[in-house]
Amino acid sequence: SADSSSDGLFVATDPVRLVDTRRESGAFGGPRLWEGGGREFDPFDVAEGPVAAMAANWTMTDTEDAGWVLAYPAGNAFGEVSTVNASSARQSVATGAITPMSERGFGVHASEGTELVVDVVGWFTGESSADSGTGLYVPSGPTRLHDTRERRPRPAADGTIELANPFGSAAAALVTNVTVTQADWAGFVTAYPAGTKRPATSTVNVNFHDQTVANMAITSVSTRGAAYYAMAGVDVIVDVAGYFTGSPVVAT
């Protein structure tokens, strides 16, 4: 393993909503994606330094039918590899993904009509970045960090639980699988640094009562760890697969 690198380092950020086609205006707002349609986005005004890839949570919502959305480096052929998949109409489904970008940003292509929400959690540096030991990935586990079915309480509607950072001051972000189960009703769970302002983003989406659904999440941590907010009452399971080196943000 390397002690430092220049490219491929992860730069953790507070979760930020980059794209939401449900919005009527703005560079990253509507219109919704249509069947067989696509768009390109240039997100470099919210990134710092050379960027090779984006780490984000991709959500299809208000889908017209079963289908998919794929993301690709803008200006390139979009290929046949999907990023997020919906299995029915009127569904909300999310996928955590790392998307390579070109100098023009990234493009999206949809097989069916859908709204698209993209929540960014960080960036990966490009080749011309400075050499650093911050942002290296350290695999660990997988280990079950928390399970509210066994360790109560579970978050109630509009409630939050906090989990301590298992790697202490060595980790700036956790790589996890977040599972929600036994949901009271449709809603979402948002993971973010504990003790900081909750962002207007989501990590896992629930479509109906008692649904079980999981998603990969890269979550920045604070000096208090990670927080998990639930729109509706739900059990939350967090499994850790590793972390990115760096300093946690300060809980305010």
Side-chain angles (χ1 to χ4, degrees):
S1 61
D3 293 327
S4 66
S5 180
S6 58
D7 60 326
L9 297 173
F10 181 66
V11 181
T13 65
D14 290 337
V16 59
R17 180 143 293 175
L18 179 65
V19 175
D20 188 346
T21 61
R22 299 170 299 180
R23 298 185 304 189
E24 294 182 358
S25 61
F28 300 136
R32 66 187 272 125
L33 301 179
W34 63 92
E35 179 182 349
R39 293 173 62 186
E40 289 189 358
F41 300 94
D42 181 357
F44 291 110
D45 58 338
V46 296
E48 296 182 3
V51 174
M54 174 181 70
N57 195 60
W58 296 75
T59 303
M60 295 175 65
T61 187
D62 191 23
T63 54
E64 293 180 5
D65 204 343
W68 44 261
V69 168
L70 62 83
Y72 60 97
N76 292 269
F78 54 75
E80 300 178 349
V81 179
S82 62
T83 301
V84 56
N85 297 267
S87 58
S88 66
R90 296 181 297 278
Q91 188 176 27
S92 294
V93 59
T95 298
I98 296 171
T99 303
M101 295 200 298
S102 70
E103 294 181 353
R104 286 167 45 181
F106 66 93
V108 297
H109 180 80
S111 68
E112 303 292 337
T114 184
E115 301 284 7
L116 179 67
V117 179
V118 182
D119 296 331
V120 176
V121 297
W123 312 91
F124 288 89
T125 58
E127 293 182 354
S128 59
S129 299
D131 191 77
S132 175
T134 298
L136 297 170
Y137 177 64
V138 180
S140 177
T143 303
R144 180 142 294 177
L145 180 61
H146 195 75
D147 185 344
T148 61
R149 298 171 302 176
E150 299 178 357
R151 296 171 59 189
R152 297 295 188 181
R154 75 180 202 155
D158 200 32
T160 303
I161 61 170
E162 292 189 7
L163 304 180
N165 178 2
F167 305 107
S169 60
L174 303 180
V175 179
T176 64
N177 190 67
V178 180
T179 303
V180 296
T181 188
Q182 299 177 10
D184 289 346
W185 61 79
F188 61 88
V189 167
T190 297
Y192 64 102
T196 66
K197 183 178 179 181
R198 176 168 59 87
T201 60
S202 62
T203 302
V204 186
N205 296 79
V206 177
N207 290 279
F208 51 82
H209 171 70
D210 268 354
Q211 186 182 22
T212 297
V213 61
N215 194 15
M216 187 276 287
I218 299 175
T219 305
S220 297
V221 292
S222 74
T223 48
R224 272 169 44 183
Y228 298 84
Y229 165 85
M231 176 185 174
V234 69
D235 277 306
V236 178
I237 304 161
V238 181
D239 298 328
V240 178
Y243 66 93
F244 288 101
T245 58
S247 300
V249 299
V250 176
T252 57

